[in-house]
Amino acid sequence: MEKQYTPPKIWTHDAESGGKWASVNRPVSGATHEKVLPVGEHALQLYSMGTPNGQKITIMLEELLALGEEAEYDAHMIRILEGEQFSSGFVDINPNSKIPALVDRAGDNDQPIFESASILVYLAEKFSALLPEKGVKRTRVLNWLFWLHGAAPYLGGGFGHFYAYAPEKFEYPINRFTMEIKRQLDVLDKQLAKNEFIAGDAFSIADIAIWPWYGNLILGKLYDAQEFLQVEEYPHLQRWAKATLARPAVQRGRIINRDWGDKWEQLENRHSAENIDKVLALKPA
């Protein structure tokens, strides 16, 4: 039986109770130390880590490059478990201290963009790609983009935290969030039963946003929960997840700003296409 918890009249921060993330979770914002961010040679400077939220942007940039767009970029690793998101340089471009954050240096003044949905829309509009310019098709893509931003916290901060990261396992929150994730997987499976891609008949920023969370989950690359969630119950979602992973730009984008996994999945910083090529060449045949 779970321990009974009675909230105190006034909450106080217990730095020892946060499990894996205790060292970086805190109830205040702002910088903890002074550090200038590195800057590469390209107009687009990405500061991120290869978590699902970080993968969205590197996959987007690689998809733009695959389309022939002039979207060259530098991607700099921000190690969030070491608190690098609280440096003065990072806080200057994202006061919320969350990855990813992008700076576009193409104009007269540097333009910082934060929140992954905002970055995806910014890049789609900058390059006129992967998001219809107007009308019903644009609305459908944005519907699913914003669905992801309402749904993913239940997967990451809810299910993922209590199933994989919490210092103790408790039945109630795991059951609560598992039920919601199963419902979300069913929503996606039913949508993909009627459509090749998330928002219809064309690959878009909706697919790019949703795949790093739900595609990785279904394919066993997130939380190792395939058996627990019975992912075989979602054949249309499985089809889409595998087809998306097979895209060359997805294979390239998913390995950037990572220092975990197999050697061919790890590229800490990206400054050119050749950086990715060298890492992917290590993949076993």
Side-chain angles (χ1 to χ4, degrees):
M1 184 175 179
E2 295 177 13
K3 295 180 291 186
Q4 183 67 35
Y5 171 69
T6 302
K9 288 186 177 181
I10 298 175
W11 180 85
T12 57
H13 180 215
D14 179 3
E16 302 301 318
S17 66
K20 182 178 180 180
W21 302 99
S23 63
V24 295
N25 285 338
R26 58 199 184 105
V28 295
S29 62
T32 60
H33 59 284
E34 294 292 322
K35 186 177 181 180
V36 176
L37 292 176
V39 179
E41 65 179 48
H42 303 298
L44 296 173
Q45 299 293 304
L46 177 66
Y47 302 93
S48 189
M49 190 171 177
T51 65
N53 285 333
Q55 286 183 8
K56 297 173 192 176
I57 311 307
T58 48
I59 289 171
M60 175 67 172
L61 289 163
E62 290 298 321
E63 287 284 354
L64 290 169
L65 290 170
L67 290 171
E69 302 293 343
E70 295 182 2
E72 271 296 343
Y73 66 101
D74 296 279
H76 309 277
M77 170 82 96
I78 299 294
R79 292 177 173 82
I80 58 177
L81 278 173
E82 297 177 18
E84 293 183 350
Q85 70 274 34
F86 300 118
S87 74
S88 57
F90 192 87
V91 172
D92 282 346
I93 62 173
N94 183 1
N96 196 40
S97 294
K98 302 288 185 182
I99 61 95
L102 179 73
V103 178
D104 188 348
R105 304 170 66 233
D108 294 333
N109 298 302
D110 291 356
Q111 175 62 60
I113 312 101
F114 61 90
E115 289 297 325
S116 57
S118 180
I119 298 172
L120 288 174
V121 172
Y122 179 87
L123 291 171
E125 292 182 341
K126 178 181 176 72
F127 294 101
S128 299
L130 300 166
L131 173 64
E133 292 186 2
K134 60 183 179 180
V136 172
K137 289 185 177 181
R138 179 184 177 90
T139 299
R140 287 173 181 162
V141 171
L142 293 179
N143 283 345
W144 286 100
L145 177 64
F146 293 123
W147 175 89
L148 180 278
H149 281 266
Y154 288 96
L155 176 52
F159 175 80
H161 176 77
F162 286 104
Y163 181 80
Y165 298 132
E168 297 180 68
K169 297 289 189 289
F170 293 112
E171 183 179 2
Y172 176 80
I174 291 175
N175 283 344
R176 168 66 182 88
F177 288 113
T178 299
M179 179 173 63
E180 174 60 13
I181 297 314
K182 294 281 287 182
R183 189 193 68 81
Q184 292 176 4
L185 295 175
D186 192 54
V187 168
L188 291 171
D189 193 64
K190 287 174 177 173
Q191 175 68 5
L192 289 162
K194 301 177 293 184
N195 300 279
E196 182 178 0
F197 300 104
I198 290 290
D201 58 0
F203 187 79
S204 72
I205 60 173
D207 301 277
I208 292 172
I210 291 171
W211 184 86
W213 282 107
Y214 295 89
N216 275 325
L217 180 71
I218 281 288
L219 297 176
K221 300 179 183 297
L222 186 66
Y223 307 138
D224 193 23
Q226 316 96 290
E227 183 178 6
F228 183 73
L229 294 171
Q230 294 181 285
V231 298
E232 69 278 359
E233 295 179 348
Y234 311 104
H236 308 292
L237 183 54
Q238 290 263 7
R239 183 268 306 164
W240 168 84
K242 292 173 183 177
T244 302
L245 178 59
R247 297 176 69 90
V250 174
Q251 294 182 33
R252 297 174 72 82
R254 65 177 290 272
I255 73 170
I256 298 169
N257 297 145
R258 287 175 56 126
D259 59 1
W260 67 92
D262 294 325
K263 288 296 184 183
W264 58 269
E265 295 180 302
Q266 298 183 37
L267 178 59
E268 292 189 24
N269 302 293
R270 185 267 190 211
H271 303 292
S272 69
E274 289 74 21
N275 297 151
I276 303 175
D277 295 339
K278 288 179 181 178
V279 174
L280 290 179
L282 301 174
K283 185 177 181 179

